[in-house]
Amino acid sequence: MRFNRMLLSATLVVVALVIQVSVLARLHLPGAVPDLLLLTVLALAMVYGHVSGALIGFGAGLLADLAPPADHAAGRYALVLCVIGYLAGLAKPDNGRLKSATAPMAVVVAAAIGSTLLYAGVGALVGDTAARHVGLVSLLFTAALYDLLLAPFVVPGLMGLARRAENNPLAETGTSTKAADVSSGWLSSGTGLRIGGQRGGLRVKAAKARVARAGRIKGVKRL
């Protein structure tokens, strides 16, 4: 991953986790909790692709596993977000831009349902049956609903920010300017296009020498 990707992704993930733990988790909504961290991973994955999406998802999930008041095994949510980030990255368009809001909203709903099912499935493997007591159907419905309502305020803005950081016009301008300076300096050093100019100068000097020689020969004959 590029440095600007890592820096932006780490900043957005930390901010999303802080808001998730300090604000959204304290709303005491029925069923699931709006998952801002999941939406952040989805937005970055749909811009950076499946490999970066998997790495960002793993890192974000691991932070969520270790952040209080987490009461589940470490690595459980990291696995979930790693898989979700990878799959969401496969929905990245070729040019990095989505033509309509239908595709990202469909990705949000699928990710909300898929992450809930995967989280409950991993929990069942390690002996966590909390999803059965709450009601898996209720969790699926509320998770999809809350994330879908929150997504229009989060996903487009984060995707635009990620695209702007990925295609930095100032960096590109500076790079092209430096390249132009290097190429012009290389050409002015006498290799390349300056060779033709040097040949022309040599021809002029040779012509002047022939004229001067002819003048001297005429002067001798007159004598």
Side-chain angles (χ1 to χ4, degrees):
M1 293 178 65
R2 299 177 182 176
F3 178 75
N4 58 344
R5 286 189 183 184
M6 296 175 59
L7 182 61
L8 178 63
S9 301
T11 303
L12 294 178
V13 165
V14 171
V15 172
L17 181 61
V18 171
I19 297 175
Q20 179 79 31
V21 173
S22 61
V23 178
L24 298 179
R26 300 176 183 272
L27 296 178
H28 301 292
L29 296 173
V33 177
D35 200 339
L36 181 61
L37 195 61
L38 173 65
L39 297 179
T40 302
V41 172
L42 292 179
L44 295 176
M46 285 189 286
V47 175
Y48 295 149
H50 58 283
V51 176
S52 297
L55 295 175
I56 295 170
F58 180 80
L62 189 60
L63 287 178
D65 289 332
L66 300 176
D71 55 353
H72 55 268
R76 180 177 172 183
Y77 202 48
L79 174 62
V80 172
L81 287 188
C82 180
V83 174
I84 296 299
Y86 179 85
L87 295 177
L90 296 177
K92 172 191 173 184
D94 294 335
N95 58 357
R97 297 180 179 273
L98 298 172
K99 298 181 179 180
S100 65
T102 304
M105 293 302 103
V107 171
V108 168
V109 174
I113 296 175
S115 62
T116 304
L117 289 174
L118 186 58
Y119 186 83
V122 175
L125 293 177
V126 297
D128 186 1
T129 59
R132 297 180 182 178
H133 300 290
V134 177
L136 185 58
V137 177
S138 175
L139 285 177
L140 292 175
F141 176 75
T142 54
L145 178 62
Y146 296 154
D147 291 347
L148 188 60
L149 293 176
L150 186 60
F153 304 98
V154 177
V155 175
L158 294 185
M159 290 183 67
L161 185 61
R163 281 196 299 265
R164 182 174 299 180
E166 185 74 359
N167 302 318
N168 190 353
L170 295 179
E172 291 180 355
T173 303
T175 304
S176 61
T177 302
K178 291 180 180 179
D181 293 340
V182 171
S183 61
S184 62
W186 182 77
L187 291 175
S188 63
S189 64
T191 59
L193 297 180
R194 286 291 301 277
I195 294 177
Q198 292 175 356
R199 289 178 177 175
L202 293 175
R203 290 176 180 175
V204 172
K205 291 181 180 180
K208 290 182 178 179
R210 287 195 296 269
V211 171
R213 185 182 302 172
R216 288 196 299 271
I217 291 174
K218 290 182 179 179
V220 173
K221 289 182 176 180
R222 289 176 182 178
L223 294 175

